[in-house]
Amino acid sequence: SYRKLAKEYHPDKNPNAGDKFKEISFAYEILSNKEKRNIYDRYGQKGLQEGGREGGFGSFGEDIFSHIFGGGLFGGGGRRRARRGEDTIHPLKVTLEDLYNGKDTKLQMTKNVICPQCNGNGGKSGKVQTCSDCNGRGIKVTLRQLGPGLVQQLQTTCPECHGEGETIKEKDRCPKCKGKKVNKETKILEVHIDRGMRHEQKITFHGEGDQTPGLEPGDVIIILQQKEHETFQRHGNDLVMEHKVKLCEALCGFKLVVKHLDGRQLLITHPQGQIIEPGCIRGVVGEGMPHQKRSYDKGNLFIKFTIEFPKDHEIAGNNLKTLESLLPPRHKLPKLSQDHEEVDLVEIDPQSSSNYYGQEDSDDDHERGGPGVQCATN
């Protein structure tokens, strides 16, 4: 269909059909590009001009495909789905306490609403005219002949109507919206945060986005942004925290008080006889985050332990003997040979060692006498 029409109305064959050929080329460009086709289907001609944002078709946008191809965008005069404006995305900072307990908050937003005085026409009834410069397209299409049978198509926003496809004389413009068709309005949204909601979860207010004549309003989408918590980290419906215990607590048991996200104090008991190893994790069942749909059902609270050991020489020699008598016996040494050597353990910074993690001097360095060494010359 396109090839037949393009051949029929090509300027080389039909010099008087330049405008018709422009329309055919423009329509084909939309049909052959999946991204542009989707933008046109959702936002119309003005959406193509503005990079996918909402806009009206104008007379050109509504009629071009039926005019050229005898049907809708997909042929056969198919019914077009309702076009929507852009969604408004708004991040909302929340604490982990808010997500645990739930919260109701109010959010003030400013949005465009259709002018009630002119009903979104921008001016007096009958005074809004199709732009004669672009024939209501909002864009101007020009053709440049590059060679025999080779034409380049250029598109620019119409300077006369600024891409609107319509013009209104200043004296006929609506005094309330000044011809812009919409006014700014402040709206208060009541945001309900359910217990158990998560970081980056979305709360949608359908149809509360900016209003544009000829378009269904988009949505306002609130995206929850959880702030970092000083005690807990969330993993799914579980909570994780870290706690340091002294060596005596790790060996002899302890009691721990944790302030939970709802203000409760949890007295956690670790009994004597059960040893806490460095890096071990213990849990408290049912003290994690609530499930959003079943707030009575909660995850678990996990605690990762580190152990604080005594400092050097903090325990006196006689107490060390007493401590040793209470602990399991030392490992027995194997039988030593007569030529064994005694060495001491000392503190060494591993990164200061030349062979740290197996990093050895390369053979090339040895051959060159090491880096920075040069041979003497006479």
Side-chain angles (χ1 to χ4, degrees):
S1 172
Y2 164 73
R3 295 182 184 279
K4 180 180 178 181
L5 291 171
K7 186 176 180 180
E8 180 181 350
Y9 292 102
H10 195 281
D12 288 347
K13 187 175 181 180
N14 196 339
N16 298 324
D19 290 339
K20 183 73 172 179
F21 183 74
K22 292 177 185 178
E23 291 183 355
I24 294 169
S25 300
F26 181 72
Y28 180 73
E29 182 183 352
I30 298 172
L31 287 171
S32 59
N33 185 298
K34 183 178 180 181
E35 182 179 352
K36 289 184 178 180
R37 184 169 173 165
N38 289 336
I39 292 173
Y40 178 88
D41 186 51
R42 184 173 181 183
Y43 300 120
Q45 172 62 24
K46 192 173 180 181
L48 290 170
Q49 302 163 22
E50 301 180 358
R53 296 191 296 272
E54 72 276 10
F57 284 103
S59 59
F60 170 75
E62 292 177 350
D63 300 333
I64 182 171
F65 291 104
S66 57
H67 175 62
I68 295 175
F69 298 110
L73 176 58
F74 301 103
R79 178 176 158 185
R80 185 179 305 279
R81 68 189 180 197
R83 296 175 295 116
R84 297 177 67 249
E86 275 189 330
D87 292 333
T88 302
I89 309 298
H90 186 86
L92 179 62
K93 296 285 187 182
V94 293
T95 64
L96 192 55
E97 285 86 353
D98 295 335
L99 300 178
Y100 183 90
N101 299 299
K103 183 179 180 180
D104 290 318
T105 186
K106 293 183 178 180
L107 182 65
Q108 178 175 304
M109 301 192 69
T110 301
K111 69 174 186 176
N112 293 332
V113 295
I114 293 176
C115 178
Q117 187 163 330
C118 64
N119 294 320
N121 292 320
K124 298 177 182 178
S125 179
K127 297 297 183 180
V128 180
Q129 300 177 346
T130 300
C131 177
S132 57
D133 233 33
C134 64
N135 295 324
R137 304 174 190 178
I139 60 171
K140 298 193 72 173
V141 181
T142 56
L143 299 176
R144 188 171 69 172
Q145 189 97 23
L146 300 179
L150 187 61
V151 178
Q152 182 184 30
Q153 177 179 287
L154 303 175
Q155 297 180 15
T156 56
T157 300
C158 177
E160 184 67 24
C161 65
H162 306 289
E164 293 290 333
E166 298 173 339
T167 57
I168 310 173
K169 293 181 180 179
E170 189 170 351
K171 65 175 184 175
D172 296 325
R173 292 176 184 172
C174 172
K176 186 173 180 64
C177 66
K178 310 300 182 185
K180 295 180 179 179
K181 304 180 181 180
V182 294
N183 298 313
K184 294 291 184 182
E185 182 180 276
T186 300
K187 175 94 181 220
I188 303 296
L189 297 179
E190 295 188 0
V191 183
H192 176 70
I193 302 171
D194 291 329
R195 297 185 66 200
M197 278 188 154
R198 299 172 183 268
H199 174 64
E200 293 192 344
Q201 189 164 345
K202 297 177 181 178
I203 302 174
T204 302
F205 292 85
H206 297 286
E208 290 291 349
D210 287 330
Q211 297 178 7
T212 303
L215 290 180
E216 178 185 336
D219 301 331
V220 172
I221 301 175
I222 308 297
I223 301 180
L224 302 180
Q225 300 286 328
Q226 181 200 313
K227 301 176 185 177
E228 186 176 346
H229 198 272
E230 60 180 7
T231 302
F232 300 107
Q233 290 184 339
R234 181 178 184 176
H235 295 274
N237 287 317
D238 296 324
L239 291 174
V240 179
M241 62 173 288
E242 295 184 357
H243 183 68
K244 181 184 289 187
V245 295
K246 294 183 178 295
L247 179 59
C248 64
E249 294 176 313
L251 298 175
C252 305
F254 59 88
K255 291 183 183 293
L256 167 65
V257 176
V258 174
K259 184 179 179 181
H260 213 311
L261 296 169
D262 57 0
R264 289 179 298 136
Q265 287 186 321
L266 301 181
L267 178 60
I268 301 173
T269 301
H270 188 70
Q272 295 181 353
Q274 297 183 13
I275 306 301
I276 293 290
E277 305 90 3
C280 77
I281 297 176
R282 299 289 186 268
V284 181
V285 176
E287 288 297 344
M289 293 293 294
H291 291 256
Q292 182 182 351
K293 295 183 179 179
R294 307 185 308 275
S295 59
Y296 56 85
D297 190 8
K298 298 180 182 178
N300 300 319
L301 168 63
F302 292 96
I303 305 175
K304 183 177 181 180
F305 288 96
T306 56
I307 298 177
E308 181 181 345
F309 286 86
K311 297 180 180 179
D312 293 345
H313 311 296
E314 185 176 347
I315 302 176
N318 57 339
N319 290 332
L320 285 175
K321 292 182 178 181
T322 303
L323 179 60
E324 184 175 354
S325 67
L326 299 174
L327 296 174
R330 301 172 185 262
H331 290 291
K332 291 184 178 181
L333 292 176
K335 186 177 180 180
L336 299 174
S337 63
Q338 291 183 351
D339 58 349
H340 73 273
E341 297 183 18
E342 290 192 19
V343 294
D344 295 326
L345 282 174
V346 295
E347 290 187 7
I348 300 177
D349 181 6
Q351 296 184 359
S352 67
S353 174
S354 61
N355 293 331
Y356 178 50
Y357 289 151
Q359 296 176 359
E360 299 181 356
D361 294 336
S362 67
D363 293 338
D364 292 342
D365 288 340
H366 286 298
E367 291 175 3
R368 298 190 189 101
V373 178
Q374 298 180 351
C375 296
T377 57
N378 294 325

